[in-house]
Amino acid sequence: MLTLITPDTEDGALQQRRQHLWQSLSDPARCAFAGPDPGAPRSPQHQFDPPAPAPEQPLADFCGLLLAPDRVDYLNLRGDPQERWLYQRSG
């Protein structure tokens, strides 16, 4: 299952995750969300070097993705013999 966490998500716990993700980013990573829209006409250079957004509150364009897989097949290629683990969600 894949859950998109947007500013409009009503679940408070998911909003906290989104905020924690935002706060865990470095300033340069947060700047990537503050630049001009991809594919937009090129404008003055100062717009390509925006100031770092505040770490306290995520920008409106910042969303989180929460992946909850039903099954994982993990193969470790190191070693001889190689190791394989199969995980299956129950319940």
Side-chain angles (χ1 to χ4, degrees), residues 73-86:
D73 186 345
Y74 177 75
L75 176 62
N76 186 356
L77 296 176
R78 291 184 182 173
D80 188 18
Q82 298 168 346
E83 299 174 319
R84 182 179 185 194
W85 291 275
L86 298 172

Side-chain angles (χ1 to χ4, degrees), residues 32-51:
F33 293 93
D37 292 335
R42 195 170 189 113
S43 54
Q45 183 63 28
H46 72 274
Q47 291 187 5
F48 286 92
D49 192 19

Side-chain angles (χ1 to χ4, degrees), residues 4-68:
L4 178 64
I5 310 168
T6 70
D8 299 327
T9 300
E10 295 179 7
D11 185 325
L14 291 178
Q15 282 298 336
Q16 285 182 337
R17 280 189 178 213
R18 179 176 165 262
Q19 186 167 359
H20 182 264
L21 286 169
W22 178 255
Q23 292 171 345
S24 67
L25 294 175
S26 65
D27 283 345
R30 281 192 292 271
C31 283
F33 293 93
D37 292 335
R42 195 170 189 113
S43 54
Q45 183 63 28
H46 72 274
Q47 291 187 5
F48 286 92
D49 192 19
E56 296 81 29
Q57 186 62 34
L59 295 178
D61 293 343
F62 182 76
C63 298
L65 286 174
L66 180 61
L67 176 64

